[in-house]
Amino acid sequence: MPKQTDDSGSAGLAGRRGRAARNDAAILDAAREVFLADPKAPVAAVAERAGVGMSALYRRYPGKEDLLRRLCHDGLRRWIEEAEAVEAEPDAWKALVVFLERIVDADVHSLTVHLAGTFTSTEEMGRDARRAAELMGRLVERAYAAGLLRRDLVVDDIGLVLEGCAAVRVPDAERTRELRRRFLAMVLAGVAGAGVTGTGEAALPGPAPEPGELNWRWRRPGQSGRV
């Protein structure tokens, strides 16, 4: 006679794991919506939006900082994933554009703008941030080398571009995506080098962002200097 206890036990474990994974996804989706609207919102609002009890939320995220940290780290990992995905693209301009389009569509920068400075980063996040910066630098350098990007644009200017895209938001999600893509295309047309536009370059106004200048949001209260 078959050992039904083993099979049923496995099915039960798989069921619990599946339910836990669904709950976690629901919590993270709800947290993105809640904290993008109001970073100061309580975690109870996340549980309510996700349709889970507070005990289910606290089993995964003991405090609000843990949840905020997970959201931002997921965004950082997505950044790295998308940057690595375009490294094999032989067209340097296409690699940069596709990367930026994917990051804008994923709304990664909105979380950065809204949640920076609301939690303490981990060493792993620091390593991933450095990796993300390295990958971004390589994308820009490739575009420079191919004559496809104006030389007075610096890597940190890309942060300004993404921040501008994140500021574009209307009630309809698909329309938001369309408008952000339009804004991004307009900006990219303005920073393309002669290799893309076939024309000369007029100097960009104002000094370029200094290294670390745009990281002020990540400073905790009482912390000074650049991060």
Side-chain angles (χ1 to χ4, degrees), residues 152-160 205-214 226:
D152 56 349
L153 180 138
V154 299
V155 174
D156 282 346
D157 280 317
I158 301 298
L160 294 178
E210 296 180 9
E213 181 180 359
L214 302 178
R226 290 176 180 160

Side-chain angles (χ1 to χ4, degrees), residues 94-107:
K94 183 178 180 181
L96 179 62
V97 171
V98 169
F99 166 74
L100 291 175
E101 287 177 343
R102 290 175 178 174
I103 292 300
V104 168
D105 286 350
D107 208 12

Side-chain angles (χ1 to χ4, degrees), residues 199-224:
T199 62
E201 302 174 7
L204 288 173
E210 296 180 9
E213 181 180 359
L214 302 178
N215 294 340
W216 62 269
R217 293 184 186 87
W218 293 100
R219 299 186 194 114
R220 302 287 286 170
Q223 181 182 0
S224 61

Side-chain angles (χ1 to χ4, degrees), residues 126-145:
R127 288 192 297 271
D128 284 345
R130 290 188 289 275
R131 172 63 174 162
E134 174 192 352
L135 289 166
M136 187 71 253
R138 290 215 293 259
L139 280 171
V140 169
E141 283 298 329
R142 284 184 60 200
Y144 282 157

Side-chain angles (χ1 to χ4, degrees), residues 69 72-73 75-77 79-81 84 119-136 138 218 227:
R69 193 161 30 242
C72 277
H73 203 170
L76 188 54
R77 291 184 181 115
W79 176 292
I80 293 171
E81 176 186 330
E84 290 177 338
F119 61 87
T120 302
S121 299
T122 63
E123 289 185 10
E124 184 183 5
M125 289 185 74
R127 288 192 297 271
D128 284 345
R130 290 188 289 275
R131 172 63 174 162
E134 174 192 352
L135 289 166
M136 187 71 253
R138 290 215 293 259
W218 293 100
V227 264

